[in-house]
Amino acid sequence: MSTDSPFFLSKVECPICKTINEFETVKMGAFVEEGRDTDFCPQEIKWRFPKYQSYNPLAFFVATCSNCYYSREFNNSFKEWKRDNNFRTYRLKVTKEVHLDQLATSDSVVKRLGEAIDMSRYPNETAIMKLFLAIFDEQTSDHHAKLDIGRFYLRIGWVFRGLQSFENPFQASLQGMLADLKSRYEAVWGAVDQSRKAIGTFGQYADALFDTEDITADLKSQLLPFKEKFESSCGSVGESLSTSQKQLQELGNVIKDFRSISVGNEADETAATFGEFGSFIQFLADLKKNWDGIVTSELEALQKAVTYYRAAYMDGREIAQGNQQIQAGYLIAELSRRIGDHKTSKEFFNSTIKAGQEYVYQNRNDKSRTALARKILELAIEQGKLNMEAIKSA
């Protein structure tokens, strides 16, 4: 029965491959939010349907085509894309070409992300992957929406916050970096092991040259010193590589001990594997080698969000004057504070407070119009004080 589900279905034709998809839209009242963090992230979400309590609603924020993985924020603009002349005339052709090129490449970011989507097993990881796909498709346009990309990265940060059980963003970033370090270490180990095997094969081939039946006994006698030198050199290289492997084992133990002290073994022991990777973070770290749009932690997501929010703010065309500009300025300040860029944070807290006070005064007779600005102004003053304390204690 429809009343037993928190969703209703909406049919939308994919603009890239023409597949008719049925996307799930969360019904009004299907969940409630209790509290918001200072970057507006919901602090607690309670679903009316216990089955979905482990789901972040952001898993349904982006619509991803089941056939070609084209992804876009699931809003009325996407639902009515056929009526959007600007999209159809100026954006669709380029986006389609780039997206289909990615789809035709077996190890492309789009294909790997799309094929990894699994809402039933990995609902929150899927939320992150769908947001990455939406960012990728948005960036195919020369005039991509910087504000939207900033919003998407901020939401990726929110999902990471729910995935990670760390006390601060630095530790979340550290886990991502350690996953990448482990991946690089394994690559070095593989290269050394391959070299050790290769030198053994090389030595066998050299021996075969000296033992060929075409060489006369006299010539063999003359070549014998060279054969001994080959065997000695190959043996020496082989021993060096074996020693290197033992030293690499020691390095691996150092990495393991460092990880144990910095983020704990629990992350390794409890983290679910993700496909052929030891964890979702390792999967993302591998993708990051081919696209720098991938982030592996909340901290990295917030860094990206700041970059795009600030670009949109400075450009001025995507952000409306008034409440939206005040909110964007506040987010740049607060996210900068969270990532440790206290200088930028101070600059934008000051400008946000000034702009907020002016806006509230100019519209002092319209409380409904200034309600959001007043709330943001209070947050900016409070978080601005925290930022100043961080500057003084540095």
Side-chain angles (χ1 to χ4, degrees):
M1 296 174 61
S2 60
T3 54
D4 294 331
S5 172
F7 312 107
F8 63 86
L9 299 178
S10 301
K11 290 185 178 182
V12 181
E13 180 181 317
C14 175
I16 304 299
C17 69
K18 305 303 180 183
T19 297
I20 304 296
N21 291 280
E22 282 193 331
F23 296 119
E24 292 175 318
T25 301
V26 181
K27 293 178 181 176
M28 186 73 69
F31 64 88
V32 293
E33 298 175 353
E34 296 188 358
R36 289 260 177 175
D37 208 334
T38 53
D39 63 350
F40 308 124
C41 175
Q43 291 180 315
E44 186 175 1
I45 295 170
K46 291 185 178 180
W47 288 80
R48 287 180 52 230
F49 305 82
K51 175 183 177 181
Y52 298 97
Q53 190 54 48
S54 62
Y55 282 54
N56 190 313
L58 286 172
F60 309 96
F61 180 78
V62 170
T64 297
C65 177
S66 59
N67 180 52
C68 74
Y69 313 128
Y70 173 72
S71 301
R72 191 166 159 183
E73 181 179 353
F74 194 38
N75 52 21
N76 287 331
S77 178
F78 176 47
K79 293 176 184 179
E80 302 295 331
W81 69 265
K82 289 185 178 182
R83 299 181 184 180
D84 187 344
N85 291 329
N86 181 66
F87 172 73
R88 290 189 296 104
T89 304
Y90 300 106
R91 302 192 61 177
L92 181 54
K93 182 180 179 181
V94 174
T95 298
K96 186 174 183 178
E97 288 177 356
V98 175
H99 190 92
L100 291 180
D101 282 346
Q102 280 275 313
L103 200 64
T105 305
S106 61
D107 61 346
S108 69
V109 170
V110 166
K111 189 141 188 176
R112 292 182 66 190
L113 282 171
E115 291 179 345
I117 286 174
D118 189 334
M119 189 69 83
S120 60
R121 294 180 63 196
Y122 309 112
N124 301 319
E125 291 84 351
T126 288
I128 291 174
M129 292 188 289
K130 288 167 67 177
L131 281 160
F132 280 138
L133 285 167
I135 291 169
F136 185 93
D137 283 324
E138 178 60 35
Q139 287 184 329
T140 58
S141 170
D142 291 336
H143 303 289
H144 52 261
K146 300 178 183 68
L147 181 60
D148 283 345
I149 294 176
R151 290 169 52 240
F152 296 165
Y153 274 118
L154 176 58
R155 281 155 177 78
I156 289 173
W158 291 353
V159 182
F160 267 123
R161 194 173 303 171
L163 287 176
Q164 306 293 350
S165 57
F166 296 111
E167 294 181 358
N168 57 62
F170 171 74
Q171 284 183 296
S173 175
L174 187 58
Q175 186 185 8
M177 289 188 288
L178 282 169
D180 187 44
L181 181 65
K182 183 179 179 182
S183 176
R184 292 171 185 267
Y185 166 78
E186 289 171 349
V188 173
W189 172 274
V192 172
D193 187 54
Q194 186 176 10
S195 297
R196 182 183 60 80
K197 293 176 181 177
I199 194 65
T201 302
F202 177 80
Q204 293 173 2
Y205 183 77
D207 282 341
L209 285 177
F210 289 108
D211 293 335
T212 180
E213 296 179 356
D214 295 333
I215 299 179
T216 63
D218 183 54
L219 182 56
K220 280 187 179 182
S221 176
Q222 297 180 49
L223 293 177
L224 182 60
F226 292 98
K227 180 181 179 181
E228 293 173 349
K229 288 181 180 179
F230 265 101
E231 290 176 346
S232 175
S233 296
C234 288
S236 178
V237 173
E239 289 176 6
S240 296
L241 289 170
S242 295
T243 301
S244 295
Q245 277 196 309
K246 292 179 181 178
Q247 293 171 334
L248 277 172
Q249 279 185 319
E250 294 176 7
L251 178 59
N253 291 332
V254 171
I255 294 173
K256 185 177 180 180
D257 291 342
F258 177 77
R259 180 182 183 83
S260 175
I261 294 172
S262 59
V263 299
N265 289 323
E266 185 178 347
D268 274 337
E269 294 170 357
T270 62
T273 58
F274 193 84
E276 63 182 19
F277 294 89
S279 70
F280 179 58
I281 300 300
Q282 289 181 19
F283 169 69
L284 294 181
D286 193 60
L287 284 179
K288 194 173 183 178
K289 298 172 185 176
N290 296 320
W291 182 42
D292 63 4
I294 296 292
V295 294
T296 59
S297 68
E298 178 189 348
L299 178 62
E300 290 181 9
L302 298 188
Q303 289 171 333
K304 288 278 191 181
V306 168
T307 298
Y308 282 98
Y309 265 107
R310 191 169 183 179
Y313 189 92
M314 295 305 181
D315 183 81
R317 291 177 293 182
E318 298 178 47
I319 300 176
Q321 296 290 320
N323 280 323
Q324 189 180 27
Q325 185 182 43
I326 294 168
Q327 186 174 28
Y330 167 77
L331 274 172
I332 294 170
E334 174 60 9
L335 298 182
S336 296
R337 184 190 70 81
R338 285 173 175 260
I339 65 175
D341 184 358
H342 299 294
K343 181 179 179 181
T344 298
S345 181
K346 178 182 177 182
E347 174 190 345
F348 276 87
F349 272 133
N350 289 342
S351 63
T352 298
I353 292 170
K354 180 180 179 182
Q357 289 173 337
E358 290 176 353
Y359 183 78
V360 169
Y361 178 77
Q362 291 168 0
N363 299 278
R364 56 189 178 279
N365 296 323
D366 189 345
K367 290 187 177 181
S368 62
R369 189 176 183 183
T370 60
L372 179 60
R374 289 176 187 274
K375 180 180 179 180
I376 294 175
L377 187 56
E378 291 176 3
L379 283 170
I381 292 171
E382 183 179 346
Q383 299 306 109
K385 289 179 181 177
L386 291 179
N387 188 64
M388 287 304 298
E389 290 175 5
I391 293 175
K392 291 176 181 178
S393 62

